[in-house]
Amino acid sequence: MKPMNVAWKILSSHLKAGDPAADSEIGIKIDQTLTQDATGTMAYLQFESMGVKRVKTDLSVSYVDHNTVQIGFENADDHDFLQSIARKYGIIYSKAGNGICHQLHLERFGKPGTTLLGSDSHTPTGGGIGQIAIGAGGIDIAVAMGGGEFYLPRPKVRAIVLKGKLRRAVSAKDVILKVLEKYGTKGNVGWIFEYTGPGVRTLDVPSRATITNMGAELGVTTSVFPSDAVTKQFLEAQGRGGDWVGLKADKGAAYDDVFELDLSEIEPMMAAPHSPGNVVTVKSMKGTKVNQILIGSCTNSSYRDIRTVALYLKGKHVADDTEVGIACGSRQVVNMLAADGSLAILHSAGCRMLENACGFCIGAHMSPRTGAVSLRTNNRNFEGRSGTKSAQVYLVSPETAAASALTGRISIPTDNPVAKVPAPAAFPVDDTMFLYRDTAGKGLPKTEIVRGPNIAKVPAGTPLAEDIEAVCAIKVGDKITTDHIMPAGARLKYRSNIPEYAKYVFEPCDGAFPGRCLENKEAGLANVIVAGESYGQGSSREHAALCPMYLGVKAVIAKSIERIHRANLINFGITPFEFEDPRDYGKIAQGDRLSLKGIRSAVEGDGVLTFKTSKGEVRVKTALSPRQKKIILAGGLLATLRG
Ligand code: MIC
Ligand code: SF4
């Protein structure tokens, strides 16, 4: 047998469709799924409409961690709906307060050598434990829960060869920021980053998970580490030694590309506003006054991370003009911090201890003051995501956050390093907030699904017509994120109510967009979105496709489109076109009438469509598999599943 890398070992053992030797789609079996509440409600509404009796995966978990602030009835209604769905269909339900999905999944369920599909872009956190863990739209998770395979373009695998050992006070966050400095947030679609080399064994599992977590910001399909003695120790300490299998690349395994990174040369790094790809050294920003510091999120909320912060703050106090908030990743983390005295240290130091949830990371609370400098240990610093448009958000390691909390200015943690936190010999396990563990996989109780007024129907798409008369309803620039398209924060509570949520599409760019689209729709015209490079960066939220579909958007024409968002557009019957010549972007203006004659034939055929504008002819193209063509022609994936 040909020597294989870790990524292909897992993919090959799960291959269900497609030819891995060809440059096309492959379909893989999914062993585990996860959803979180903000994407989960829609995923389960779609799952329900598929008429499947119970989930067919080895394990499916429904986490509640995003919408936990509960101002108004909507969040709580969503929680009740999710709990009843879990009970009915054999899904494990993680109650609000238990922790953040990715941290919890790593602690309690992630298994080396398996596949995990999650309705959240940071699902690749599981790569830290040797899983092929991929983020996707809710409907893809619904299909996987029903036993269907997951399709992805045949990935290319890049080896990131780690050498040496990190210096004290330099940590995993600095490593992934270094990788982001090299590869940026665009142009990595279709890659898997596989971490390998002698430096791997110097990183504990939470550190590996920080690195794979933020692979999402690179835009890669996923990132993966081998499963070795360090992984084994972690699983044994979680009381899950039986879940361990060893996994490493065969000698002589081939990679499509190789990048070497010497851990010992990395210095503290940070991502400057407003992109995780704007990487600079902490040194270059030293002394900048800081108004707010927030520590936590699925990237940096493990025991190792928060204990490190406590070591920095022990016997000291945070600066007077700086507010510091800390959100732990799970109850396990909080219990450990309580037991070793860290919680008292953090409280005494003047930190605000926040709920174990996404919270500040998704702009659900703790918005900084106007024009603030906010240092955060999370993974995204898109403009306005914090809830304050004028805020300058920097992404840093827990070490940099802690060192800066003491001075109120950006400070270099290596100047005063603290001791390394050793990997715990045993984690305290308390699974009491995972409900229905026993019924998952057995006979299921009869359950009424609870539907409050916030749980609306999933709108249906319409089949693609041969000719479309359309309007360019909005023209946007490069690096438009899903936070621009479908804002979260204060609007997050409408996730299960599409007509309501659709009122906010493109709110940060142009609040009049939804109204304009509905007028066009009323007048029998379709809507088209025109965009620059890397359209749809960021989250997996399918609402960024579903709500535009509801507003009558039939096509996106961009210079390039990111992986998860492109798949979501297809799933909701919106054709994702790219300019054949990117300069043609200049030929279309907002408000232009576009006569997309023969769009259906183009989708059925070679994907090329030509149309006229006042500035000349434009040629656009889309590369679609036969499966994807069928979905677009039918008006969306749900329509094909319903027959
Ligand atoms: C995010 O970090 O942007 C989110 C909120 O977790 C999203 C999912 C969502 O929008 O619900 C993600 O990363 O996929
Ligand atoms: Fe939650 Fe933030 Fe992680 Fe998204 S990135 S799952 S909002 S903690």
Side-chain angles (χ1 to χ4, degrees):
M1 264 237 296
K2 238 173 92 183
M4 270 200 259
N5 55 44
V6 169
W8 275 108
K9 279 191 179 179
I10 305 175
L11 289 172
S12 312
S13 63
H14 288 78
L15 199 69
K16 284 277 188 186
D19 174 5
D23 192 16
S24 58
E25 273 197 332
I26 56 168
I28 55 169
K29 175 183 182 293
I30 296 300
D31 301 321
Q32 302 187 342
T33 63
L34 72 77
T35 55
Q36 41 89 340
D37 51 312
T39 53
T41 45
M42 209 35 72
Y44 294 115
L45 283 167
Q46 296 174 116
F47 178 73
E48 265 192 303
S49 71
M50 290 174 194
V52 179
K53 287 239 159 20
R54 54 155 299 121
V55 290
K56 296 188 177 155
T57 46
D58 295 348
L59 176 107
S60 288
V61 191
S62 170
Y63 294 93
V64 178
D65 53 1
H66 279 62
N67 274 315
T68 60
V69 178
Q70 297 179 217
I71 298 173
F73 62 91
E74 293 90 344
N75 297 170
D77 277 8
D78 285 357
H79 301 173
D80 271 7
F81 168 74
L82 291 168
Q83 181 164 347
S84 61
I85 285 275
R87 189 171 140 93
K88 175 160 178 182
Y89 290 105
I91 296 158
I92 297 172
Y93 181 68
S94 173
K95 286 176 80 172
N98 202 22
I100 304 174
C101 56
H102 307 303
Q103 172 69 22
L104 286 169
H105 207 85
L106 193 75
E107 289 173 0
R108 305 304 308 140
F109 303 113
K111 255 191 192 179
T114 63
T115 52
L116 165 69
L117 195 70
S119 60
D120 193 280
S121 65
H122 292 103
T123 303
T125 310
I129 210 164
Q131 276 189 304
I132 286 290
I134 303 179
I139 193 165
D140 286 326
I141 315 308
V143 169
M145 286 190 294
E149 45 288 333
F150 174 67
Y151 289 88
L152 64 156
R154 182 200 184 278
K156 288 178 284 186
V157 185
R158 171 174 286 135
I160 308 282
V161 184
L162 302 179
K163 297 196 160 153
K165 194 171 173 259
L166 290 171
R167 283 185 291 145
R168 265 169 75 194
V170 180
S171 66
K173 183 62 152 284
D174 303 306
V175 177
I176 186 63
L177 287 172
K178 202 71 198 161
V179 178
L180 272 154
E181 182 187 52
K182 164 87 183 152
Y183 290 104
T185 58
K186 61 185 174 79
N188 302 312
V189 174
W191 284 89
I192 292 179
F193 280 20
E194 179 171 320
Y195 291 84
T196 168
V200 164
R201 64 166 178 270
T202 67
L203 299 172
D204 59 13
V205 168
S207 301
R208 296 176 186 187
T210 294
I211 294 172
T212 57
N213 169 287
M214 256 186 104
E217 277 49 70
L218 292 159
V220 296
T221 301
T222 191
S223 308
V224 67
F225 273 82
S227 168
D228 56 8
V230 175
T231 324
K232 185 164 188 247
Q233 191 278 331
F234 175 83
L235 283 169
E236 280 169 353
Q238 287 285 357
R240 301 205 286 124
D243 284 348
W244 183 78
V245 291
L247 200 60
K248 62 174 184 191
D250 294 330
K251 233 182 154 94
Y255 291 91
D256 299 285
D257 191 35
V258 177
F259 172 61
E260 283 194 4
L261 191 56
D262 188 343
L263 296 174
S264 62
E265 283 177 5
I266 299 177
E267 61 176 303
M269 308 296 289
M270 65 202 302
H274 296 287
S275 167
N278 285 346
V279 180
V280 297
T281 60
V282 174
K283 206 192 309 160
S284 69
M285 297 299 299
K286 186 181 168 183
T288 308
K289 198 163 168 13
V290 179
N291 308 99
Q292 182 188 59
I293 298 181
L294 296 176
I295 299 166
S297 93
C298 56
T299 315
N300 279 122
S301 60
S302 65
Y303 170 72
R304 178 241 164 258
D305 289 337
I306 314 294
R307 173 71 184 152
T308 303
V309 174
L311 293 179
Y312 270 93
L313 301 191
K314 191 168 182 187
K316 301 186 179 139
H317 207 276
V318 305
D320 286 355
D321 292 343
T322 310
E323 75 170 341
V324 180
I326 300 182
C328 298
S330 68
R331 283 159 71 242
Q332 182 179 83
V333 173
V334 177
N335 288 340
M336 292 174 79
L337 297 171
D340 72 9
S342 303
L343 214 47
I345 294 173
L346 297 169
H347 267 127
S348 308
C351 301
R352 293 170 63 181
M353 296 308 293
L354 311 171
E355 191 182 9
N356 320 324
C358 297
F360 70 80
C361 176
I362 188 58
H365 66 167
M366 297 289 295
S367 296
R369 73 155 170 75
T370 307
V373 169
S374 176
L375 298 197
R376 298 175 171 221
T377 66
N378 57 305
N379 43 43
R380 289 183 175 147
N381 57 346
F382 304 145
E383 189 176 9
R385 181 173 159 109
S386 67
T388 306
K389 197 154 188 234
S390 62
Q392 305 292 308
V393 178
Y394 293 83
L395 306 177
V396 297
S397 71
E399 288 82 352
T400 302
S404 307
L406 293 171
T407 58
R409 295 185 176 272
I410 294 180
S411 302
I412 307 176
T414 40
D415 287 349
N416 295 298
V418 296
K420 190 177 164 191
V421 175
F427 291 94
V429 173
D430 170 3
D431 285 341
T432 52
M433 278 175 84
F434 289 111
L435 306 188
Y436 317 134
R437 278 188 80 122
D438 300 337
T439 44
K442 301 201 186 116
L444 297 174
K446 235 183 131 35
T447 304
E448 274 304 307
I449 301 300
V450 185
R451 279 175 231 276
N454 197 39
I455 310 287
K457 279 208 173 77
V458 187
T462 50
L464 186 63
E466 176 58 17
D467 302 325
I468 285 183
E469 275 307 308
V471 179
C472 168
I474 193 166
K475 183 174 177 181
V476 288
D478 291 344
K479 290 195 184 179
I480 289 295
T481 71
T482 52
D483 280 281
H484 291 107
I485 307 169
M486 217 46 273
R491 310 300 182 202
L492 202 54
K493 62 182 182 185
Y494 300 123
R495 282 293 177 87
S496 44
N497 188 344
I498 299 305
E500 194 55 38
Y501 200 28
K503 292 180 184 159
Y504 305 103
V505 179
F506 279 120
E507 189 186 30
C509 307
D510 178 355
F513 174 82
R516 229 165 32 232
C517 284
L518 288 175
E519 268 172 35
N520 293 337
K521 199 175 163 188
E522 197 93 319
L525 295 167
N527 293 297
V528 169
I529 295 168
V530 172
E533 293 283 4
S534 199
Y535 181 72
Q537 281 193 356
S539 84
S540 68
R541 67 191 68 149
E542 63 189 355
H543 301 75
L546 177 52
C547 291
M549 176 194 91
Y550 175 79
L551 296 177
V553 173
K554 275 296 193 184
V556 168
I557 305 177
K559 290 185 187 166
S560 63
I561 307 177
E562 290 298 305
R563 174 189 72 89
I564 305 181
H565 188 58
R566 186 175 190 275
N568 285 338
L569 289 172
I570 294 169
N571 282 347
F572 292 99
I574 299 177
T575 311
F577 284 113
E578 291 181 1
F579 289 102
E580 212 165 67
D581 178 350
R583 285 172 303 184
D584 281 358
Y585 171 82
K587 290 186 183 162
I588 308 177
Q590 188 166 312
D592 279 0
R593 280 288 282 265
L594 307 173
S595 219
L596 307 181
K597 291 211 164 32
I599 182 172
R600 188 178 173 93
S601 300
V603 166
E604 273 174 324
D606 63 0
V608 177
L609 181 70
T610 310
F611 56 90
K612 288 198 177 60
T613 70
S614 58
K615 293 203 173 125
E617 203 174 76
V618 172
R619 260 169 88 82
V620 296
K621 59 179 186 332
T622 183
L624 299 166
S625 69
R627 185 190 67 90
Q628 292 172 321
K629 289 181 179 183
K630 203 169 129 208
I631 295 173
I632 294 187
L633 296 175
L637 180 54
L638 215 49
T640 66
L641 295 173
R642 284 170 178 156

